[in-house]
Amino acid sequence: MSQAPVAVPASATLATAPRKAPARPSYEALRVFARNPGAMLGVLLLAVILAVTLFGPALMQADPFEIVSAPMDPPGGELWLGSDYLGRDVLTGMVYGGRATLLVGVVAAVLSMAIGVTVGALAGYYGGWVDETLMRITEFFQVLPALLFAMVLVTLFSPSLATIAVAIGVVSWTGTARLARGEFLRLKRREYVLAERVIGASNARIIWRVILPNALAPLIVSATLAIGTAILFEAGLSFLGLGDPNVMSWGLMIGSNRPYILAAWWAVTLPGAAIFVTVLAVSLIGDGLNDALNPNSRGRA
């Protein structure tokens, strides 16, 4: 006599079924970033720009300030992108100028992030009079006209790449400071921070080794956007005649050819287009990082 089959509860089946291991957060963030078309376009554009500006000068072996043809020679002849008002090759200037523009943008962004994160971290962690004092200083810098303040600093200390980068970094850290302060206010009462205090960890360790790594996601996004802002700042200063006259940059090309824009539009438009594409690429990467590092976005992906 055959026995009737014994029904196995569904809960028992689910309990014995192998579970898929959850993906690591870093892998999830990379997956979300890679599936973002805008972010991938930004990476591609920035990779091309970096390749041209980093390796182009070594391949061309030319002087961007050398006069090689008649002034304002239009594109399409011996010079692919024409010449400027002095007869300098626009293509050579763009290849060499991109290196200086990107260098100023990166250095200024790093300095801006360093100041902003330090001020925001100390204000958010300690609170009280430290927070009040640092936030009043932040508000003072925030209400100053940033471009005008940068112009004053560059004029006082002579225009050079280092001066321009420092000036841009000094005037553009306030947004990062407020962002870092908010993150530290949110994280400093978490259980793992309280546990560090219980075991006697120093404030420096808690700030830089415990809280800061957990606050990096929005700060990384802010850093990418700061690079684009710094590039625009450098172009604006050079446009106003405050760039380094001894180093070719995209901003210097626009500023020096500004009076001749109607006769030689290419000498102004092409460097301006290069700045636009670079800032667009950095902004697209920043948006992609924002989506990838946001837990809510990873959950919807």
Side-chain angles (χ1 to χ4, degrees), residues 36-282:
N36 188 322
M40 290 295 97
L41 176 60
V43 170
L44 177 61
L45 291 175
L46 188 59
V48 172
I49 293 169
L50 288 175
V52 171
T53 56
L54 292 179
F55 303 110
L59 297 176
M60 297 183 72
Q61 294 292 329
D63 182 3
F65 291 97
E66 182 183 0
I67 298 176
V68 295
S69 73
M72 293 181 285
D73 191 11
E78 294 182 0
L79 303 180
W80 292 357
L81 300 184
S83 63
D84 65 359
Y85 77 106
L86 290 176
R88 299 175 297 194
D89 186 8
V90 173
L91 176 60
T92 303
M94 290 187 63
V95 172
Y96 279 80
R99 178 179 293 184
T101 299
L102 292 176
L103 179 62
V104 170
V106 172
V107 172
V110 170
L111 179 60
S112 172
M113 293 298 298
I115 298 174
V117 170
T118 301
V119 172
L122 296 178
Y125 180 77
Y126 287 106
W129 68 268
V130 176
D131 185 19
E132 288 292 329
T133 303
L134 292 177
M135 285 301 100
R136 296 297 81 78
I137 296 174
T138 302
E139 290 172 359
F140 171 76
F141 278 91
Q142 202 163 18
V143 298
L144 288 175
L147 183 59
L148 181 61
F149 189 30
M151 291 170 58
V152 172
L153 292 177
V154 172
T155 303
L156 288 176
F157 297 100
S158 75
S160 65
L161 290 185
T163 304
I164 294 171
V166 171
I168 295 172
V170 167
V171 303
S172 58
W173 57 269
T174 55
T176 303
R178 291 194 170 276
L179 177 62
R181 174 180 178 268
E183 288 297 307
F184 270 73
L185 287 174
R186 181 177 65 87
L187 296 173
K188 71 177 183 179
R189 300 190 185 280
R190 293 292 178 89
E191 290 80 2
Y192 57 86
V193 178
L194 298 177
E196 289 287 335
R197 289 202 185 99
V198 169
I199 64 176
S202 64
N203 290 329
R205 172 180 169 79
I206 295 175
I207 292 173
W208 306 116
R209 301 287 297 275
V210 178
I211 300 180
L212 182 59
N214 291 280
L216 280 181
L219 295 176
I220 291 174
V221 177
S222 178
T224 59
L225 300 179
I227 295 175
T229 303
I231 291 173
L232 292 176
F233 255 107
E234 188 277 333
L237 291 173
S238 298
F239 181 81
L240 296 173
L242 294 175
D244 189 344
N246 300 314
V247 180
M248 183 63 69
S249 69
W250 292 337
L252 180 63
M253 295 177 68
I254 296 174
S256 61
N257 289 282
R258 175 186 55 185
Y260 311 96
I261 186 172
L262 296 180
W265 58 266
W266 55 88
V268 176
T269 304
L270 295 178
I275 293 174
F276 171 79
V277 173
T278 303
V279 175
L280 174 63
V282 174

